Amino acid sequence: MASIWSDEGKLATWIAVEQAATAAWAELGTVPEDAAARIAAATPPTPERVAEIEATLHHDTAAFVDAVAERLGEEGRWFHYGLTSSDVVDTALALQIREAGVLVLDGLDAALAAVIARAEQHRTTLQIGRTHGVHAEPTTFGLKLAGWAFELDRGRKRLVRALEGMRVGKFSGAVGTYAATDPELERAACERLGLEPAPTSTQILQRDRHAELLTALAIVASSLDKFALEIRHLARTEVAEVQEPFGRGQKGSSAMPHKRNPVVAERICGLARVVRGAAVVGLENIALWHERDISHSSAERVVVPDAFLAVDYMLDRFAWLVEGLVVREERMRRNLEASHYLFFSQRVLLALVESGLARDDAYGLVQRDAMRAWDEELDFRELVRNDDEIAARIDLDRVFDLDAYTRHVDTIFARLNALAVKEEPVHA
């Protein structure tokens, strides 16, 4: 990923775009075949040479063109023929995004595979579910992970759509009128590059495409943020249901030798903020003056590479984290029981309703025992068993059945098993 967004990577993509345009001009009979062949054999200039020329010109694309042309001799006059800077920069950016997109999709596939594998492993591992941070009813750790898998899959689909929207190039000139080029040149050059010609453009490709892409990346990053935050909560000392992998010789604190902190999860959460910021910049870049101003350019040079680099890294670390996550099943069971089996309250309530009691009356009876169990740290089940107003009405063995909370787990996992990770033809 770093190579794609390096100066060398950028210049290699720029020259590929220029070569596609020159070859297309040669097909149209405008550029001589020998000049096109010479340009096709040209190699990218060094970033240092481009920077040296740019120090005088104060224009990076012009500096690039001069750096290539000076090595071509007489044929150099055909290099960049008829093009404006954004024909090269925007089309090249689409190529870089295509390459970077493949890596991010690979990362998503790896993360998804890791989550599905651990979900299957913990399909029936009971864990207390929490709402508002407070014990609610039992779930399984596998179901929690299954939810993550479906969310990752949705994020992948969004990203595929956004990448497809970026699979366009433009060679339409200074204001998009083809005054110095030709629609046929654009078609032929884009075909060589594996892109579609933009239906219309100004001096640039419209930035709603880039905003959609950055937003799709931000949603993926925010999902990873959510998952990592859950791991951090479950790793708290008071909960201690999971732990990050901790390597031999690793130190959790410079001062406290006992520390095993969820630092990778925290890193994922922090980087998600960066990617969400990039999405805001992408949205701000949509509104430009007339056929183009340059306000989007400086910001885009930062946020597009940074968003891809961050998400690529986040996915790699997240897959590592899930694969090596220490899951403490016994602690999950102890935490499940720590709230005195109050999670059975809804089952008692529903059984009373089924017995013919009015719902509000049933609620009052159950709540009375539930509050006592909480305040006095008593077993809710025993209080119910000793409450004649409740016990005489319902089958307590059926009500206090933990298996009731997992009886439909297989239904959800059947849906998860149908979630096949496919290699989609993002770029034909």
mmCIF file of all heavy atoms in Angstrom, residues 286-310:
data_model
loop_
_atom_site.group_PDB
_atom_site.id
_atom_site.type_symbol
_atom_site.label_atom_id
_atom_site.label_comp_id
_atom_site.label_asym_id
_atom_site.label_seq_id
_atom_site.Cartn_x
_atom_site.Cartn_y
_atom_site.Cartn_z
ATOM 1 N N ILE A 286 -16.458 18.295 -2.778
ATOM 2 C CA ILE A 286 -17.438 18.222 -3.870
ATOM 3 C C ILE A 286 -17.713 19.607 -4.450
ATOM 4 O O ILE A 286 -17.816 19.777 -5.668
ATOM 5 C CB ILE A 286 -18.750 17.569 -3.376
ATOM 6 C CG1 ILE A 286 -18.505 16.097 -3.043
ATOM 7 C CG2 ILE A 286 -19.852 17.696 -4.431
ATOM 8 C CD1 ILE A 286 -19.700 15.397 -2.418
ATOM 9 N N ALA A 287 -17.824 20.592 -3.584
ATOM 10 C CA ALA A 287 -18.195 21.943 -4.031
ATOM 11 C C ALA A 287 -16.946 22.724 -4.443
ATOM 12 O O ALA A 287 -16.134 23.112 -3.603
ATOM 13 C CB ALA A 287 -18.925 22.680 -2.912
ATOM 14 N N LEU A 288 -16.794 22.935 -5.766
ATOM 15 C CA LEU A 288 -15.657 23.682 -6.306
ATOM 16 C C LEU A 288 -16.164 24.808 -7.200
ATOM 17 O O LEU A 288 -17.303 24.786 -7.664
ATOM 18 C CB LEU A 288 -14.738 22.754 -7.108
ATOM 19 C CG LEU A 288 -14.137 21.571 -6.342
ATOM 20 C CD1 LEU A 288 -13.369 20.659 -7.287
ATOM 21 C CD2 LEU A 288 -13.237 22.054 -5.218
ATOM 22 N N TRP A 289 -15.336 25.780 -7.462
ATOM 23 C CA TRP A 289 -15.723 26.909 -8.298
ATOM 24 C C TRP A 289 -15.785 26.494 -9.768
ATOM 25 O O TRP A 289 -14.819 25.970 -10.322
ATOM 26 C CB TRP A 289 -14.709 28.045 -8.162
ATOM 27 C CG TRP A 289 -14.782 28.801 -6.863
ATOM 28 C CD1 TRP A 289 -15.298 28.379 -5.679
ATOM 29 C CD2 TRP A 289 -14.292 30.119 -6.638
ATOM 30 N NE1 TRP A 289 -15.176 29.326 -4.728
ATOM 31 C CE2 TRP A 289 -14.557 30.432 -5.282
ATOM 32 C CE3 TRP A 289 -13.659 31.070 -7.431
ATOM 33 C CZ2 TRP A 289 -14.217 31.665 -4.706
ATOM 34 C CZ3 TRP A 289 -13.312 32.299 -6.877
ATOM 35 C CH2 TRP A 289 -13.601 32.586 -5.535
ATOM 36 N N HIS A 290 -16.917 26.771 -10.402
ATOM 37 C CA HIS A 290 -17.081 26.638 -11.850
ATOM 38 C C HIS A 290 -16.548 25.290 -12.367
ATOM 39 O O HIS A 290 -16.933 24.237 -11.867
ATOM 40 C CB HIS A 290 -16.416 27.825 -12.563
ATOM 41 C CG HIS A 290 -16.907 29.153 -12.059
ATOM 42 N ND1 HIS A 290 -18.237 29.517 -12.100
ATOM 43 C CD2 HIS A 290 -16.239 30.189 -11.486
ATOM 44 C CE1 HIS A 290 -18.373 30.736 -11.578
ATOM 45 N NE2 HIS A 290 -17.177 31.166 -11.188
ATOM 46 N N GLU A 291 -15.697 25.330 -13.377
ATOM 47 C CA GLU A 291 -15.190 24.083 -13.955
ATOM 48 C C GLU A 291 -14.039 23.465 -13.159
ATOM 49 O O GLU A 291 -13.638 22.346 -13.415
ATOM 50 C CB GLU A 291 -14.745 24.309 -15.409
ATOM 51 C CG GLU A 291 -15.884 24.251 -16.402
ATOM 52 C CD GLU A 291 -16.945 25.293 -16.129
ATOM 53 O OE1 GLU A 291 -16.609 26.502 -16.069
ATOM 54 O OE2 GLU A 291 -18.121 24.901 -15.963
ATOM 55 N N ARG A 292 -13.504 24.207 -12.214
ATOM 56 C CA ARG A 292 -12.509 23.655 -11.312
ATOM 57 C C ARG A 292 -11.813 24.770 -10.559
ATOM 58 O O ARG A 292 -11.539 25.827 -11.097
ATOM 59 C CB ARG A 292 -11.436 22.869 -12.085
ATOM 60 C CG ARG A 292 -10.420 22.186 -11.170
ATOM 61 C CD ARG A 292 -8.995 22.380 -11.623
ATOM 62 N NE ARG A 292 -8.076 21.666 -10.739
ATOM 63 C CZ ARG A 292 -6.794 21.505 -10.955
ATOM 64 N NH1 ARG A 292 -6.255 21.969 -12.065
ATOM 65 N NH2 ARG A 292 -6.025 20.882 -10.097
ATOM 66 N N ASP A 293 -11.539 24.525 -9.270
ATOM 67 C CA ASP A 293 -10.503 25.286 -8.588
ATOM 68 C C ASP A 293 -9.547 24.257 -7.985
ATOM 69 O O ASP A 293 -9.708 23.057 -8.201
ATOM 70 C CB ASP A 293 -11.084 26.245 -7.537
ATOM 71 C CG ASP A 293 -11.747 25.522 -6.378
ATOM 72 O OD1 ASP A 293 -11.051 24.764 -5.668
ATOM 73 O OD2 ASP A 293 -12.954 25.712 -6.165
ATOM 74 N N ILE A 294 -8.567 24.716 -7.258
ATOM 75 C CA ILE A 294 -7.529 23.792 -6.792
ATOM 76 C C ILE A 294 -7.658 23.462 -5.308
ATOM 77 O O ILE A 294 -6.819 22.769 -4.738
ATOM 78 C CB ILE A 294 -6.132 24.383 -7.099
ATOM 79 C CG1 ILE A 294 -5.067 23.276 -7.155
ATOM 80 C CG2 ILE A 294 -5.771 25.464 -6.085
ATOM 81 C CD1 ILE A 294 -3.723 23.755 -7.638
ATOM 82 N N SER A 295 -8.752 23.914 -4.667
ATOM 83 C CA SER A 295 -8.864 23.736 -3.224
ATOM 84 C C SER A 295 -8.967 22.270 -2.812
ATOM 85 O O SER A 295 -8.575 21.899 -1.703
ATOM 86 C CB SER A 295 -10.075 24.510 -2.688
ATOM 87 O OG SER A 295 -11.282 24.045 -3.266
ATOM 88 N N HIS A 296 -9.494 21.427 -3.705
ATOM 89 C CA HIS A 296 -9.597 20.009 -3.362
ATOM 90 C C HIS A 296 -8.244 19.306 -3.414
ATOM 91 O O HIS A 296 -8.015 18.316 -2.718
ATOM 92 C CB HIS A 296 -10.544 19.306 -4.339
ATOM 93 C CG HIS A 296 -9.986 19.195 -5.722
ATOM 94 N ND1 HIS A 296 -9.891 20.285 -6.564
ATOM 95 C CD2 HIS A 296 -9.457 18.148 -6.399
ATOM 96 C CE1 HIS A 296 -9.356 19.899 -7.712
ATOM 97 N NE2 HIS A 296 -9.075 18.606 -7.632
ATOM 98 N N SER A 297 -7.353 19.797 -4.251
ATOM 99 C CA SER A 297 -6.150 19.055 -4.602
ATOM 100 C C SER A 297 -5.215 18.851 -3.417
ATOM 101 O O SER A 297 -4.774 17.729 -3.141
ATOM 102 C CB SER A 297 -5.411 19.773 -5.730
ATOM 103 O OG SER A 297 -4.226 19.093 -6.058
ATOM 104 N N SER A 298 -4.923 19.927 -2.697
ATOM 105 C CA SER A 298 -3.974 19.815 -1.592
ATOM 106 C C SER A 298 -4.505 18.883 -0.508
ATOM 107 O O SER A 298 -3.763 18.062 0.047
ATOM 108 C CB SER A 298 -3.687 21.201 -1.006
ATOM 109 O OG SER A 298 -4.901 21.854 -0.654
ATOM 110 N N ALA A 299 -5.801 18.989 -0.211
ATOM 111 C CA ALA A 299 -6.392 18.143 0.821
ATOM 112 C C ALA A 299 -6.431 16.687 0.379
ATOM 113 O O ALA A 299 -6.175 15.763 1.169
ATOM 114 C CB ALA A 299 -7.802 18.631 1.154
ATOM 115 N N GLU A 300 -6.743 16.472 -0.889
ATOM 116 C CA GLU A 300 -6.875 15.115 -1.420
ATOM 117 C C GLU A 300 -5.543 14.368 -1.396
ATOM 118 O O GLU A 300 -5.506 13.149 -1.196
ATOM 119 C CB GLU A 300 -7.380 15.205 -2.857
ATOM 120 C CG GLU A 300 -8.273 14.083 -3.292
ATOM 121 C CD GLU A 300 -8.991 14.440 -4.572
ATOM 122 O OE1 GLU A 300 -8.331 14.541 -5.623
ATOM 123 O OE2 GLU A 300 -10.220 14.652 -4.515
ATOM 124 N N ARG A 301 -4.463 15.095 -1.587
ATOM 125 C CA ARG A 301 -3.141 14.467 -1.576
ATOM 126 C C ARG A 301 -2.817 13.883 -0.197
ATOM 127 O O ARG A 301 -1.984 12.983 -0.084
ATOM 128 C CB ARG A 301 -2.062 15.475 -1.966
ATOM 129 C CG ARG A 301 -2.156 15.923 -3.404
ATOM 130 C CD ARG A 301 -1.246 17.116 -3.669
ATOM 131 N NE ARG A 301 -1.557 17.743 -4.944
ATOM 132 C CZ ARG A 301 -0.672 17.953 -5.904
ATOM 133 N NH1 ARG A 301 0.570 17.557 -5.752
ATOM 134 N NH2 ARG A 301 -1.036 18.543 -7.025
ATOM 135 N N VAL A 302 -3.474 14.408 0.817
ATOM 136 C CA VAL A 302 -3.288 13.895 2.168
ATOM 137 C C VAL A 302 -4.295 12.784 2.469
ATOM 138 O O VAL A 302 -3.940 11.684 2.864
ATOM 139 C CB VAL A 302 -3.435 15.030 3.212
ATOM 140 C CG1 VAL A 302 -3.334 14.466 4.626
ATOM 141 C CG2 VAL A 302 -2.394 16.110 2.974
ATOM 142 N N VAL A 303 -5.591 13.081 2.258
ATOM 143 C CA VAL A 303 -6.616 12.197 2.814
ATOM 144 C C VAL A 303 -6.800 10.900 2.034
ATOM 145 O O VAL A 303 -7.121 9.866 2.639
ATOM 146 C CB VAL A 303 -7.975 12.923 2.950
ATOM 147 C CG1 VAL A 303 -7.856 14.087 3.915
ATOM 148 C CG2 VAL A 303 -8.531 13.374 1.603
ATOM 149 N N VAL A 304 -6.624 10.906 0.723
ATOM 150 C CA VAL A 304 -6.836 9.667 -0.024
ATOM 151 C C VAL A 304 -5.762 8.629 0.316
ATOM 152 O O VAL A 304 -6.084 7.499 0.713
ATOM 153 C CB VAL A 304 -6.923 9.924 -1.540
ATOM 154 C CG1 VAL A 304 -6.999 8.601 -2.303
ATOM 155 C CG2 VAL A 304 -8.154 10.768 -1.865
ATOM 156 N N PRO A 305 -4.467 8.973 0.209
ATOM 157 C CA PRO A 305 -3.466 7.976 0.629
ATOM 158 C C PRO A 305 -3.600 7.594 2.101
ATOM 159 O O PRO A 305 -3.505 6.413 2.453
ATOM 160 C CB PRO A 305 -2.127 8.684 0.365
ATOM 161 C CG PRO A 305 -2.435 9.718 -0.668
ATOM 162 C CD PRO A 305 -3.825 10.176 -0.362
ATOM 163 N N ASP A 306 -3.818 8.584 2.968
ATOM 164 C CA ASP A 306 -3.893 8.293 4.398
ATOM 165 C C ASP A 306 -5.062 7.370 4.723
ATOM 166 O O ASP A 306 -4.949 6.474 5.572
ATOM 167 C CB ASP A 306 -4.010 9.582 5.203
ATOM 168 C CG ASP A 306 -2.664 10.269 5.409
ATOM 169 O OD1 ASP A 306 -1.666 9.790 4.842
ATOM 170 O OD2 ASP A 306 -2.618 11.290 6.120
ATOM 171 N N ALA A 307 -6.208 7.578 4.087
ATOM 172 C CA ALA A 307 -7.370 6.729 4.359
ATOM 173 C C ALA A 307 -7.091 5.289 3.950
ATOM 174 O O ALA A 307 -7.399 4.347 4.690
ATOM 175 C CB ALA A 307 -8.600 7.269 3.628
ATOM 176 N N PHE A 308 -6.499 5.107 2.778
ATOM 177 C CA PHE A 308 -6.185 3.755 2.327
ATOM 178 C C PHE A 308 -5.122 3.106 3.217
ATOM 179 O O PHE A 308 -5.233 1.930 3.593
ATOM 180 C CB PHE A 308 -5.716 3.763 0.879
ATOM 181 C CG PHE A 308 -6.831 3.664 -0.120
ATOM 182 C CD1 PHE A 308 -7.228 4.766 -0.850
ATOM 183 C CD2 PHE A 308 -7.501 2.469 -0.327
ATOM 184 C CE1 PHE A 308 -8.265 4.681 -1.782
ATOM 185 C CE2 PHE A 308 -8.525 2.361 -1.239
ATOM 186 C CZ PHE A 308 -8.917 3.474 -1.972
ATOM 187 N N LEU A 309 -4.086 3.859 3.550
ATOM 188 C CA LEU A 309 -3.028 3.315 4.395
ATOM 189 C C LEU A 309 -3.566 2.932 5.766
ATOM 190 O O LEU A 309 -3.243 1.862 6.300
ATOM 191 C CB LEU A 309 -1.903 4.351 4.537
ATOM 192 C CG LEU A 309 -1.005 4.521 3.309
ATOM 193 C CD1 LEU A 309 -0.285 5.857 3.362
ATOM 194 C CD2 LEU A 309 -0.001 3.380 3.216
ATOM 195 N N ALA A 310 -4.411 3.784 6.326
ATOM 196 C CA ALA A 310 -4.952 3.511 7.659
ATOM 197 C C ALA A 310 -5.868 2.290 7.643
ATOM 198 O O ALA A 310 -5.748 1.401 8.495
ATOM 199 C CB ALA A 310 -5.702 4.739 8.182
#
